[in-house]
Amino acid sequence: EYFLTDDPKVNGKSKMKKAFCEPGNIDFCPPIALLTYFGGLDTTESGSADGAGKGGVTISRSPENGGDVTYTSKSQVEADFKSGALHPGDLKGCISTIMVEVLTKTSEAIKNDGSASKGVKALKAWAKKMSKQKKK
């Protein structure tokens, strides 16, 4: 057992690598949901092809795979993912980087807040106690 706040770089990447991301499935794709939320993509039905949405996310890809691509809306990501133009590995790699940044900021904020830091220590102590009880 480990906590995401312990080492966001390692834990954030390993969690995202294991995330469900079936090629072409936009009905249930947690990486797309996370990218939309944390990447600041436009969520309006029409999208924002002119880049006027909340932000934009560039997914880095090798030239053989079409090169880097920038998305400004969830609908653009979903269209490319559904068609196969956006590979699950590329999507996961991008959201992994974003999640590591978010988790690193969260971890630093917790460490700098005395109350939150105490709460994390108490949670870890409780988890340790529970794991010992399971072994009995």
Side-chain angles (χ1 to χ4, degrees), residues 1-60:
E1 299 253 347
Y2 55 85
F3 296 88
L4 291 174
T5 57
D6 288 341
D7 189 353
K9 192 170 189 174
V10 171
N11 298 327
K13 285 184 178 183
S14 68
K15 287 286 188 189
M16 192 50 58
K17 191 173 186 179
K18 296 175 189 175
F20 180 80
C21 190
E22 180 181 23
N25 181 356
I26 60 169
D27 295 326
F28 181 74
C29 185
I32 290 178
L34 291 169
L35 184 65
T36 302
Y37 186 78
F38 291 107
L41 297 178
D42 187 352
T43 58
T44 60
E45 284 296 315
S46 61
S48 184
D50 64 355
K54 291 189 245 176
V57 175
T58 300
I59 296 182
S60 300

